[in-house]
Amino acid sequence: MTPSSSSPGTSTALAVSPDSGTHWSAEGAWPVAEGIHRIPLPLPMDGLRAINVYVIETPDGLVLVDGGWAIPEARDLLDRCLRGIGAGFGDIRRFLVTHVHRDHFTLATVLGGEYGADVALGIGERPALELLNDETLDSNPFVDVLVTAGAREVAEQWVAMQNDEQPDMSMWAFPTTWLDGDHPIDLGSRTVDAVHTPGHTPGHFVFADQAAGLLFAGDHVLPTITPSIGFTVPPAPLPLGDFMASLTKVRALPDLRVLPAHGPVAPSSHQRVDELLAFHETRLDQSLAALAAGTRTSHDVAQELAWTRHERAYTELDLFSQGMASMETKAHLELLVAQGRATRTEDPDGVLFTAGP
């Protein structure tokens, strides 16, 4: 997962995490609070470089928030770091997975199956897993989403890049526990509140340890980048509306230290949520302004916007990021329609958007 847009914050590529005193992706089991360690695991071929897996010590064993990507490099590093704190895979009792994307879910479900650990995932991710496990699925499900965004050429290039590669279904087993609605989770020595935060994906959850002042934020609140919106199948009707509502929901919690899935530990959930909301309000205005010249597809509008913290042109993005940019732009335009600021028309070459009610 590579978010395609940015908002104020230190560059992820340069960010130092206060718990380690070094770059946030540096190898180690870094203590972030009493009984909690942060272990960054590698993400080959991904601009984010790493995912933070959080290890919580409990009287019954270890609980991990997220699991990492099921690749040998990540598995070996997780094993090495756990041994560094006197533990191993057999000590893991539970995975609390924030969402279904492969860098969060796949190593959790593989290790859960091998060692009998419970794997908990938001029930809103069930349609995505059912789609992946559909034996009749014979094409990339993101192709249709890209076509509706007006990015048919990008979709065709995505298909060409696949080389008929099929996903390893052992990485996409259903979880043992579905998380449904907001509720407390008793971990023995602490209680975390499971908080449903749809937007980045429909079943995304964060976990708030309010007593310790910590927010296990997954990809919902990232300290240096904005999470991608619209990169999910089956597509949600208004993913950006869901995301902004979920940000407001997290803003209503006490101000917590952010333990993100990508990037350094950050001091204030309130500050970062405010920045993210402001960014998307500005992005909505920019998207609407791009419609002033006439009817556009999401792909058309994406080409008129700047991307990443470096304000790059769309043409400077790699092919994968171009596709994500088109889908994210569609999420903004669909919300403008819901707000009565634009209209939409279905078309074989992509949904067409026009400014005005």
Side-chain angles (χ1 to χ4, degrees), residues 7 244 272-283:
S7 56
M244 295 179 76
R272 187 56 182 155
V273 165
D274 290 344
E275 291 172 349
L276 290 167
L277 286 170
F279 169 79
H280 282 291
E281 291 291 354
T282 299
R283 201 65 163 177

Side-chain angles (χ1 to χ4, degrees), residues 307-337:
W307 297 93
T308 83
R309 65 180 295 105
H310 301 293
E311 298 288 296
R312 290 195 172 99
Y314 176 90
T315 54
E316 297 180 76
L317 301 177
D318 61 73
L319 179 65
F320 182 68
S321 295
Q322 287 181 349
M324 294 185 71
S326 297
M327 289 186 279
E328 182 162 310
T329 301
K330 186 171 186 292
H332 284 80
L333 295 171
E334 294 286 9
L335 184 55
L336 287 172
V337 172

Side-chain angles (χ1 to χ4, degrees), residues 16 18 25 30 52 79 101 122 196 214 224 245 251 283 338:
V16 170
S25 67
W30 306 107
N52 294 317
D79 180 47
H101 284 163
H196 184 209
L214 303 172
T224 59
R251 184 61 169 78
R283 201 65 163 177

Side-chain angles (χ1 to χ4, degrees), residues 198-239:
H200 179 59
T201 66
H204 194 290
F205 269 80
V206 301
F207 304 97
D209 183 346
Q210 297 193 45
L214 303 172
L215 179 69
F216 298 92
D219 280 0
H220 183 59
V221 180
L222 298 174
T224 59
I225 51 178
T226 64
S228 60
I229 304 298
F231 181 56
T232 185
V233 289
L238 286 175

Side-chain angles (χ1 to χ4, degrees), residues 41-47 49-50 69 71 73-74 102:
L41 298 181
L43 298 179
M45 300 173 62
D46 195 302
R49 299 183 61 174
W69 190 338
I71 53 174
E73 302 94 319
R102 62 185 177 180

Side-chain angles (χ1 to χ4, degrees), residues 149-152 154 297-304 314 322 326 329 333:
R152 186 181 297 275
V154 175
T297 67
S298 304
H299 184 238
D300 295 332
V301 173
Q303 295 179 75
E304 298 185 30
Y314 176 90
Q322 287 181 349
S326 297
T329 301
L333 295 171

